[in-house]
Amino acid sequence: MGLLLVVAEAAAGALLALWLVVRGLARSRSQDMPTGKVSAPPPADPGTDWTPAIAFGLLALVVACLAVALLRGGWHWAGGTQAVVAVALGVVVLASVVEESSRNPPEPAPTWNSPPCRSGGDSDECARSGG
């Protein structure tokens, strides 16, 4: 029973990963293709997409609930196997979330360039003189 459930969860995880890949391709494709509408351009960096972490976190939650139900029903080996799978999925999701949130965003490009210093001094002298 436990082995059958692990195979079913692996298949569900593969389908989930396939869906996320197709979704990611569709998102990148829609940003590349111009539309007929005149609207504001998409932001340069749309930010972190948390959908994969949420999806695999929900899968881990479903597996954990199944593990609890099996353990309460007396299926100790199957429930234990499900508990191990749930913990492994949870650790992977938490590790990916911590890794993604620890990335530093790139520095924004400067929006104003000061004119060159005409006095021949260093940049500090130019800053004090007003140009």
Side-chain angles (χ1 to χ4, degrees):
M1 176 75 161
L3 183 61
L4 179 68
L5 287 172
V6 169
V7 169
E9 289 155 2
L15 286 174
L16 184 61
L18 181 65
W19 173 72
L20 289 169
V21 166
V22 169
R23 180 184 171 275
L25 287 174
R27 285 185 67 199
S28 67
R29 193 103 200 230
S30 68
Q31 289 177 357
D32 293 342
M33 298 179 74
T35 59
K37 301 179 199 173
V38 177
S39 64
D45 182 22
T48 304
D49 183 17
W50 294 105
T51 305
I54 293 169
F56 281 104
L58 287 174
L59 180 63
L61 182 65
V62 167
V63 173
C65 290
L66 185 60
V68 169
L70 287 170
L71 287 171
R72 291 187 64 142
W75 294 76
H76 300 293
W77 282 100
T81 304
Q82 294 306 298
V84 169
V85 170
V87 167
L89 274 171
V91 166
V92 168
V93 168
L94 285 177
S96 69
V97 166
V98 166
E99 188 267 330
E100 187 66 36
S101 64
S102 68
R103 288 187 184 172
N104 293 332
E107 292 293 322
T111 57
W112 181 76
N113 292 330
S114 62
C117 186
R118 293 188 179 99
S119 69
D122 62 355
S123 60
D124 188 41
E125 180 183 340
C126 282
R128 285 192 308 259
S129 69

